[in-house]
Amino acid sequence: MQDYVKSYISLIEDFLRGKNKSAEIILIGGLAMSFYGSPRYTRDIDGEINCEEGLYDELIEYLREKDINFNLSENISGWGMIPLPEGYRERASVVYHGEGLTVKILEPVDFIFSKLMRGTEEDFKDILDVIKKYNISPDKLLEREKLIRYPRDPETLFFKRKFQHLLSLLSA
């Protein structure tokens, strides 16, 4: 685990210890890349958090006071119009368990779909790194896509184009 990842985890753990409370976070984004074997420096914490409502508000204020950038919510699947494949929480794996804090990451194929939501050049680099590291086939991606409940929305067409672009990159 990279030092900057440890520092973010320690910061949150210190907060939780002071409150004698616990939380669970599913990391996505740059911090998660460290756990997928392709560390990438990032200056923010992106993820889904499961904790008491009042504790969430206090943690958010604490992170602001510490000048930490974050995007933490109770449902990362709701960050965009396209939800993550159903069952992503159950497939997530624990990468850290400490004093009051459990940190998980998405199963690699689910992580790929989380990165496709935004679909920037950096996201595609992360996606390709994870695909290479875990030897993920286009068939595996197509199978997992079946677990997405696409909304009737123009964003679905845009997302599907990004997904087709990814499949074309893999076949090249």
Side-chain angles (χ1 to χ4, degrees), residues 7-23:
S7 68
Y8 286 130
I9 288 173
S10 292
L11 189 71
I12 294 171
E13 223 169 19
D14 289 346
F15 168 80
L16 293 170
R17 190 178 309 107
K19 301 289 180 181
N20 198 27
K21 300 286 184 177
S22 62

Side-chain angles (χ1 to χ4, degrees), residues 32-46:
M33 288 301 294
S34 179
F35 294 103
Y36 292 112
S38 297
R40 174 170 65 76
Y41 181 74
T42 186
R43 296 179 48 99
D44 64 346
I45 304 168
D46 297 321

Side-chain angles (χ1 to χ4, degrees), residues 68-84:
I68 303 294
N69 296 322
F70 61 88
N71 193 356
L72 292 170
S73 72
E74 66 181 350
N75 181 11
I76 54 176
S77 189
W79 284 10
M81 287 297 298
I82 309 302
L84 287 172

Side-chain angles (χ1 to χ4, degrees), residues 53-71:
E53 188 171 327
L55 183 65
Y56 173 83
D57 296 338
E58 292 177 36
L59 174 61
I60 296 309
E61 185 58 35
Y62 175 78
L63 293 173
R64 283 187 181 128
E65 289 171 3
K66 297 290 185 183
D67 202 27
I68 303 294
N69 296 322
F70 61 88
N71 193 356

Side-chain angles (χ1 to χ4, degrees), residues 33-166:
M33 288 301 294
S34 179
F35 294 103
Y36 292 112
S38 297
R40 174 170 65 76
Y41 181 74
T42 186
R43 296 179 48 99
D44 64 346
I45 304 168
D46 297 321
E48 180 172 292
I49 186 164
N50 182 4
C51 68
E52 296 174 12
E53 188 171 327
L55 183 65
Y56 173 83
D57 296 338
E58 292 177 36
L59 174 61
I60 296 309
E61 185 58 35
Y62 175 78
L63 293 173
R64 283 187 181 128
E65 289 171 3
K66 297 290 185 183
D67 202 27
I68 303 294
N69 296 322
F70 61 88
N71 193 356
L72 292 170
S73 72
E74 66 181 350
N75 181 11
I76 54 176
S77 189
W79 284 10
M81 287 297 298
I82 309 302
L84 287 172
E86 290 182 353
Y88 73 90
R89 288 182 183 106
E90 292 77 17
R91 289 185 296 273
S93 58
V94 174
V95 292
Y96 176 83
H97 186 72
E99 290 184 57
L101 180 63
T102 299
V103 177
K104 294 181 174 184
I105 58 171
L106 294 172
E107 188 275 335
V109 177
D110 290 329
F111 180 74
I112 290 166
F113 282 101
S114 79
K115 296 300 263 178
L116 274 175
M117 283 187 211
R118 192 172 70 159
T120 66
E121 188 175 321
E122 183 175 55
D123 291 321
F124 270 91
K125 182 190 177 312
D126 290 346
I127 287 167
L128 293 172
D129 285 349
V130 169
I131 285 172
K132 182 178 178 183
K133 169 85 175 170
Y134 292 91
N135 196 27
I136 298 168
S137 70
D139 288 341
K140 182 69 173 169
L141 294 169
L142 288 164
E143 188 63 31
R144 185 65 51 86
E145 183 202 16
K146 293 176 185 175
L147 298 178
I148 296 175
R149 294 208 182 266
Y150 286 109
R152 291 182 190 101
D153 188 274
E155 188 65 26
T156 293
L157 297 174
F158 184 58
F159 182 86
K160 286 185 175 186
R161 281 190 204 124
K162 289 187 280 187
F163 184 55
Q164 288 304 314
H165 176 65
L166 173 60

